[in-house]
Amino acid sequence: MARREVDTRANPVHVTTELIGHFSIDSDLQYRADLSQLKYYIPPSNPNNVNFDLNINCTSARHKPTSYIRFENILRWIWDNFHRIARPLSEQDEERWLDIDFICSRGVITKLMCWPDAKGDEWIICASKYRGTIYLCEFRPDERERGQENATVSDKQIPAGTNKFQQYITADHPLHEPDSSVPLNECGEFHCMFKANFSNVSLLYGAKIDAISSQQPITDTLIGKPFESIGLKTLLMPKKHSGCTPSTVIKCWSTNFLANTNRIVVGFRDATNTVKVIKEYSMAGLLRLSKPPCEVELCKAYLTEVLKSIKNYVTEDYNKCIYKFRQPSKEKLKCTKVASNNEMYLFLKPWFVAESEKYRRGQQTDF
């Protein structure tokens, strides 16, 4: 399927999303089933006059390994929550045990949604089918992987800008002050799990949450609590009347749309990588930054159609093969099969399959 073969006028995509869980990844990249990494948005007293140097302590920042893939954390959450997402035993069969078509990270969905507005980007997404559900995981094309391995500190400085920006305007308690003097550690993250439906295509995905706005600290669960999810982003200050590129805006929009975020805090940085002005946008307001305008409906429709195509391709189970989908720049979607034990692309871990089967056997015994 080519990038723009979708007619959005005939079949607009209806989307619903629901928060169903969360977890933390600590400073040592260890999974924690708690809210320990949750951050609260603390707005500056004068957002039109700030001086946030994103270069401070950049040489002592701790970056995630380039080979780090978040998908195993999603598997861990599922393992912890089998009882919440499994179909009732009376409705299960040998082919399907979850009412979910796809399980993945938000990054996979964002990659697919943004493709119509992407410029020269390409991706690899692998698929494994287990008991009727297709698991998706993104991998870097080989040349990009090599580029990341050889990246210098200065190369990583700008991508880390939003994480450093977060230190200036968030804290671990709604009544605490932010502390930007601490060297940045990109490993610590807070994630939420969402169940979504895109025109009858169901998904379960994990999404990193930048911060929330809440009058009171939340210590047990976000589910059912009054709070607002806040998206944080840094952008280069655009030239007068020039706006931002559609590819930049749609990526930010889709990332926050998938996390049920309605407010985005943008730090506009200058050529020295210093944020001088902070502005808050609604989701609709964010889209107005794009010149020319973003094609949001096209992006949602494209995602839905690609997922349907993947579903048609992926017929054999995880133990037979891994499906490797590659979208070269400006070309049609390509699919090849690789061996089920290919270590480069194996992401549906054997421990997860073993634990899933153990849980199902336990259900049958209890029944």
Side-chain angles (χ1 to χ4, degrees):
M1 184 176 70
R3 297 203 309 179
R4 294 181 179 270
E5 291 180 353
V6 181
D7 183 359
T8 62
R9 295 168 297 179
N11 298 296
V13 178
H14 178 65
V15 181
T16 61
T17 56
E18 177 190 4
L19 171 67
I20 64 169
H22 41 68
F23 61 87
S24 294
I25 303 300
D26 68 19
S27 58
D28 293 316
L29 293 175
Q30 298 301 304
Y31 176 97
R32 296 176 60 116
D34 57 29
L35 302 177
S36 57
Q37 294 295 322
L38 178 64
K39 302 297 181 185
Y40 296 84
Y41 174 48
I42 313 294
S45 57
N46 185 359
N48 293 316
N49 184 21
V50 298
N51 190 45
F52 296 162
D53 184 355
L54 304 183
N55 298 326
I56 288 181
N57 294 328
C58 65
T59 57
S60 56
R62 181 181 177 186
H63 302 281
K64 289 190 292 291
T66 56
S67 60
Y68 177 62
I69 296 176
R70 294 188 179 93
F71 191 79
E72 192 158 353
N73 297 320
I74 294 174
L75 295 182
R76 175 63 188 271
W77 182 88
I78 295 172
W79 178 45
D80 281 347
N81 293 274
F82 282 145
H83 63 287
R84 298 185 56 195
I85 62 175
R87 299 169 70 182
L89 186 62
S90 59
E91 298 177 14
Q92 289 185 28
D93 54 44
E94 289 301 312
E95 296 298 322
R96 192 172 178 89
W97 76 298
L98 302 176
D99 276 324
I100 299 166
D101 295 319
F102 294 94
I103 294 177
C104 57
S105 70
R106 176 181 56 183
V108 167
I109 310 172
T110 301
K111 185 71 68 177
L112 297 177
M113 283 187 72
C114 294
W115 183 247
D117 279 312
K119 291 186 177 181
D121 196 9
E122 61 179 281
W123 44 257
I124 291 174
I125 292 174
C126 288
S128 286
K129 187 176 183 179
Y130 170 59
R131 292 202 178 275
T133 294
I134 298 172
Y135 295 74
L136 301 174
C137 185
E138 181 185 3
F139 292 86
R140 294 186 182 94
D142 296 339
E143 60 275 14
R144 286 180 56 196
E145 181 66 53
R146 288 195 296 269
Q148 286 294 315
E149 288 174 352
N150 297 325
T152 64
V153 171
S154 59
D155 293 329
K156 293 181 177 181
Q157 191 170 319
I158 295 300
T162 295
N163 292 322
K164 188 63 184 178
F165 175 56
Q166 179 176 322
Q167 284 191 314
Y168 282 98
I169 56 173
T170 67
D172 57 6
H173 189 284
L175 298 180
H176 293 174
E177 291 295 321
D179 183 4
S180 59
S181 65
V182 179
L184 177 65
N185 186 334
E186 290 184 335
C187 298
E189 296 178 340
F190 180 71
H191 292 254
C192 283
M193 295 295 298
F194 293 92
K195 192 173 183 180
N197 191 295
F198 281 71
S199 290
N200 296 321
V201 178
S202 57
L203 302 98
L204 175 67
Y205 58 87
K208 177 179 176 292
I209 303 299
D210 296 327
I212 67 168
S213 178
S214 173
Q215 296 297 317
Q216 301 294 328
I218 302 175
T219 58
D220 50 358
T221 179
L222 292 183
I223 299 174
K225 298 295 177 63
F227 73 93
E228 182 183 13
S229 181
I230 305 294
L232 305 179
K233 179 70 175 176
T234 59
L235 293 174
L236 188 64
M237 183 71 73
K239 296 180 181 179
K240 192 174 183 180
H241 307 304
S242 65
C244 299
T245 63
S247 59
T248 297
V249 173
I250 196 62
K251 183 176 181 180
C252 182
W253 180 90
S254 61
T255 297
N256 288 284
F257 171 76
L258 293 166
N260 278 343
T261 301
N262 292 314
R263 185 162 40 136
I264 296 89
V265 179
V266 178
F268 288 98
R269 50 184 170 80
D270 61 17
T272 68
N273 207 23
T274 301
V275 172
K276 297 292 188 180
V277 175
I278 295 176
K279 294 187 180 295
E280 295 187 7
Y281 296 93
S282 65
M283 292 294 280
L286 179 70
L287 291 175
R288 288 193 286 271
L289 291 177
S290 176
K291 293 184 180 181
C294 298
E295 298 183 72
V296 169
E297 291 305 318
L298 173 65
C299 292
K300 290 191 287 186
Y302 185 81
L303 167 67
T304 305
E305 291 304 312
V306 171
L307 289 176
K308 289 179 179 178
S309 295
I310 291 175
K311 194 172 182 179
N312 289 333
Y313 275 111
V314 180
T315 57
E316 296 187 76
D317 285 342
Y318 73 98
N319 56 349
K320 300 291 181 60
C321 69
I322 298 170
Y323 291 83
K324 178 183 175 184
F325 293 90
R326 185 166 189 149
Q327 181 90 64
S329 176
K330 300 181 180 179
E331 296 182 24
K332 293 186 177 182
L333 184 67
K334 296 182 178 180
C335 178
T336 56
K337 296 180 182 179
V338 299
S340 61
N341 61 352
N342 186 311
E343 293 186 2
M344 181 178 293
Y345 296 113
L346 177 63
F347 67 95
L348 191 60
K349 301 299 185 181
W351 67 261
F352 174 76
V353 174
E355 290 295 334
S356 299
E357 293 299 314
K358 180 179 178 181
Y359 176 79
R360 292 185 76 253
R361 289 194 297 270
Q363 274 190 306
Q364 293 167 349
T365 300
D366 292 341
F367 186 77

